[in-house]
Amino acid sequence: MANWKINALTRSLWVFHLSAASCNNCDIEILDLLTPRHDVERFGIVLTGSIRHADVMLITGIVNRKNVPRIKRLYEQAAKPILVVAVGTCACSGNMFRTSYQFAGPLDKIIPVDAYIPGCPPKPEAMIDGIVKLIGKLKGK
Amino acid sequence: MDIFRFLIFPGFLFAALVGLIFTWVDRKVTARLQWRVGPPFLQPFYDFGKLLVKEITLPEKGERFSFLSAPFFGLLATVLVAFILGLTITVPTRGFVGDLIVILYLLVIPALAVIVGGFASANPLASVGASREMKLIMGYELPFILAILVPVIKSDFSIQLNQILFFQQQHGANIWSLSGFIAFLVCLLVVQAKLSFPPFDIAEAETELMAGPYIEYSGALLALYRLTRAMLLFLLPLFLTILFFGGVSLSGCLLLPSILKILLVLVLIILIKNTNPRLRIDQGLRFFWVNCTLLSVLAILLAYLGL
Ligand code: SF4
């Protein structure tokens, strides 16, 4: 991507949150980011309801046989450039479900992942750190 | 000269800039009300620039032409509103008979554009959103027109904006009379619906319809919609200021009170937005058809009696 494109993108990240069969703890921690304590709107980060509007796709939970086609489909429907962030150990590696018969991941086997935020669930601070690292990576630092 | 007025001041560029700044005011006040810090000043500009960079996706089964052209029609109508309202303020002699009615018509077009775009995207959620938007228009247009009759009646049945302004210069702003106050309240609620802010964000309903009619839009087309919305966020309070608060003045020491008047209307809108949950579509319709319509009929009667 060109430099000005990256600049435009990183100043206003709209996040689409996909819960791919998570236990919901990760999702609750993501919502913490929007509360007064962390308030990521300070950096222009807001949640959107439609994948077409999103710049970041946050995926939580274990990738399993049932939701692989859906994850792929959503990734294809997104307006590019789209960044994918795997939140939680489940999405990053499979956590304790990695030996399950249903397990079809981890996520980076299905779609390219730009950032991993491990933790079960990761702390909101860890997620902000992950986003900062993602922006750093985009800018080539 | 008119091209300049249309494109730069007080037309497109000026209204777009002020509109984006007003969007920031909206987001900041909302954030403060929720005890948050809120976005930086340039955030609406960043958002707009970012959307221009993104890919434009077309829905597979959608109707291409309407899908692509709808945002432009909405924006065009909004720019015309900006032009006419701006002329009324900057060059008061340039008004024409019936410009009030033209503005009423033009203000419907952005909502129509949203409906057309929503239906053209062939997405079930967008269709539901668009049909709700359509019902909502039918709901709020009646009380809106009735309420706007009040300043018309007060200024001796003149349907020209600068006559209404002239009347208010002579007799004091419309808001200070009982009928004017009631009509202003009704208009404020209608404006809330026109901006699709809660409690009337029935068409977008982000928790049930994700983004309603906008759901399939991305990139520059979405940016156009958001720009239209931002401009309306400036133009509708301006319109109400002209009708009820005696308009704005650009000269010297009167500029500050003028800005404060518009900001007052804006903050009222933001406060209503932040303190009310979303209505169902039938509740919204009943609210407009029964409560608001009755109120505005009452206001008209009072205006006839000269109150
Ligand atoms: S990582 Fe932990 S908290 Fe997150 S979805 Fe998996 S099990 Fe739940």
Side-chain angles (χ1 to χ4, degrees):
Chain A
M1 270 189 284
N3 232 342
W4 57 274
K5 260 190 170 184
I6 293 174
N7 259 331
L9 196 67
T10 50
R11 281 174 191 278
S12 129
L13 292 172
W14 291 359
V15 176
F16 177 82
H17 168 201
L18 170 64
S19 168
S22 72
C23 76
N24 257 342
N25 254 339
C26 282
D27 312 289
I28 293 167
E29 293 299 311
I30 288 173
L31 293 185
D32 275 355
L33 290 176
L34 308 172
T35 55
R37 192 174 190 106
H38 301 287
D39 187 26
V40 285
E41 204 190 356
R42 285 177 295 157
F43 316 114
I45 300 176
V46 285
L47 275 186
T48 61
S50 163
I51 184 71
R52 301 277 200 205
H53 305 177
D55 311 299
V56 181
M57 202 167 151
L58 280 189
I59 303 183
T60 60
I62 38 165
V63 177
N64 56 39
R65 289 188 210 183
K66 201 96 183 190
N67 61 29
V68 163
R70 292 172 174 85
I71 294 176
K72 281 187 183 159
R73 180 113 189 262
L74 275 169
Y75 183 73
E76 283 157 9
Q77 282 177 335
K80 308 291 174 304
I82 181 96
L83 306 164
V84 180
V85 178
V87 176
T89 317
C90 280
C92 293
S93 67
N95 211 357
M96 63 235 190
F97 309 103
R98 67 193 177 283
T99 50
S100 157
Y101 64 96
Q102 264 287 8
F103 186 61
L107 184 63
D108 48 11
K109 253 172 70 184
I110 315 293
I111 53 176
V113 176
D114 295 283
Y116 302 84
I117 304 176
C120 182
K123 284 185 132 189
E125 290 88 343
M127 291 190 207
I128 295 179
D129 189 42
I131 300 288
V132 171
K133 282 190 175 140
L134 176 66
I135 292 175
K137 179 185 152 194
L138 277 180
K139 291 191 168 160
K141 277 180 205 151
Chain B
M1 196 56 196
D2 268 356
I3 290 287
F4 174 80
R5 289 211 183 99
F6 183 75
L7 287 178
I8 307 204
F9 182 85
F12 177 59
L13 200 65
F14 176 71
L17 281 180
V18 179
L20 287 175
I21 293 173
F22 274 31
T23 314
W24 172 77
V25 174
D26 166 30
R27 287 174 69 173
K28 187 76 179 180
V29 172
T30 304
R32 292 310 298 159
L33 286 173
Q34 296 169 352
W35 224 245
R36 292 186 288 120
V37 176
F41 181 65
L42 287 177
Q43 192 57 47
F45 297 91
Y46 294 147
D47 286 352
F48 184 73
K50 189 258 335 237
L51 283 174
L52 291 184
V53 189
K54 295 275 286 185
E55 181 194 16
I56 296 177
T57 50
L58 292 174
E60 196 181 352
K61 300 206 178 70
E63 219 280 302
R64 292 276 158 87
F65 178 74
S66 329
F67 184 80
L68 288 173
S69 58
F72 289 94
F73 285 116
L75 186 65
L76 193 64
T78 315
V79 176
L80 275 173
V81 174
F83 178 61
I84 297 176
L85 286 183
L87 267 192
T88 315
I89 286 156
T90 51
V91 203
T93 47
R94 273 291 299 278
F96 53 91
V97 176
D99 50 3
L100 180 62
I101 296 178
V102 174
I103 286 190
L104 286 184
Y105 271 107
L106 287 174
L107 282 179
V108 186
I109 297 182
L112 287 183
V114 171
I115 294 172
V116 171
F119 278 131
S121 51
N123 181 308
L125 293 174
S127 301
V128 174
S131 85
R132 286 186 186 181
E133 177 84 37
M134 205 151 69
K135 288 171 199 143
L136 201 61
I137 291 184
M138 292 196 286
Y140 65 62
E141 278 306 315
L142 178 66
F144 192 43
I145 292 169
L146 287 179
I148 279 177
L149 277 179
V150 170
V152 171
I153 292 172
K154 281 183 159 295
S155 53
D156 269 341
F157 294 94
S158 131
I159 40 174
Q160 198 171 341
L161 284 175
N162 47 29
Q163 297 292 335
I164 293 176
L165 279 180
F166 186 65
F167 169 83
Q168 295 184 73
Q169 272 162 15
Q170 312 259 297
H171 298 87
N174 280 332
I175 183 93
W176 301 124
S177 63
L178 185 59
S179 58
F181 182 73
I182 299 176
F184 172 71
L185 277 188
V186 173
C187 283
L188 194 66
L189 291 166
V190 171
V191 161
Q192 200 83 15
K194 275 194 184 284
L195 291 167
S196 35
F197 277 167
F200 307 110
D201 59 336
I202 306 173
E204 289 166 32
E206 58 178 358
T207 41
E208 39 173 327
L209 297 182
M210 299 5 161
Y214 306 108
I215 194 166
E216 290 284 346
Y217 279 96
S218 70
L221 293 176
L222 184 64
L224 287 186
Y225 271 129
R226 289 182 66 95
L227 190 64
T228 312
R229 279 278 287 277
M231 287 167 71
L232 285 177
L233 192 60
F234 161 54
L235 294 172
L236 289 169
L238 177 66
F239 185 47
L240 292 193
T241 315
I242 290 178
L243 288 182
F244 296 103
F245 286 87
V248 297
S249 152
L250 298 179
S251 59
C253 57
L254 288 177
L255 185 61
L256 189 67
S258 310
I259 297 175
L260 286 182
K261 276 191 266 187
I262 304 182
L263 282 181
L264 174 75
V265 180
L266 179 70
V267 169
L268 274 179
I269 292 172
I270 300 171
L271 285 181
I272 299 177
K273 166 186 167 184
N274 276 297
T275 44
N276 287 283
R278 185 172 58 246
L279 296 175
R280 273 198 327 263
I281 182 69
D282 59 321
Q283 292 169 328
L285 277 184
R286 197 172 310 130
F287 180 75
F288 280 122
W289 272 341
V290 180
N291 307 14
C292 285
T293 307
L294 285 182
L295 266 182
S296 37
V297 169
L298 177 72
I300 289 180
L301 289 178
L302 288 174
Y304 258 118
L305 299 176
L307 283 171

